[in-house]
Amino acid sequence: VGVLDVQEKEDLLITCKSGIILRTSVSNIKESGRATQGVILIRLEEGDEIAAISKVDEESAGIEDPENGNNTHEDSSLQNQQ
C-alpha cells in the first residue's frame, strides 16, 4: 500500500512483476468521494504483484532504462523492497 501525489498533467506508470506495464493519464482517472471503494486501475493475474508505481510527464514519449542511468521518472518511491 502506498500513496503517490500526482498532477492532472502527468501520467501514471504501473509496472508488474510479470512484466506488464500500464501507462495512463492521471486526467483520465475518475475522482471518487470518501464513501466509495476507490478506482481500479489494473487487475492482476493470480500470483502477480505490483513492482513499481511511477509518475512521468505526459509529454514523455518513451520509457528510459533506469539501469543505464537514463531514468526520466520523477518518482519511483513505491517500488517493492523484496
Side-chain angles (χ1 to χ4, degrees):
V1 176
V3 175
L4 188 62
D5 185 30
V6 294
Q7 304 295 316
E8 279 197 42
K9 63 181 169 66
E10 296 172 322
D11 284 356
L12 190 61
L13 190 69
I14 302 172
T15 307
C16 299
K17 287 188 175 184
S18 65
I20 294 173
I21 298 174
L22 171 80
R23 182 173 181 165
T24 187
S25 175
V26 171
S27 62
N28 291 335
I29 300 172
K30 180 181 163 189
E31 289 187 38
S32 56
R34 268 187 353 187
T36 64
Q37 293 183 359
V39 177
I40 296 173
L41 298 177
I42 188 170
R43 294 189 189 274
L44 300 174
E45 297 290 327
E46 189 171 329
D48 200 3
E49 297 178 14
I50 300 295
I53 301 174
S54 303
K55 61 182 178 177
V56 293
D57 287 331
E58 199 170 44
E59 297 84 31
S60 178
I63 302 168
E64 303 291 335
D65 184 0
E67 291 183 12
N68 292 327
N70 298 327
N71 189 356
T72 60
H73 302 343
E74 293 178 13
D75 186 353
S76 56
S77 60
L78 294 180
Q79 294 183 359
N80 279 342
Q81 304 295 324
Q82 294 185 357

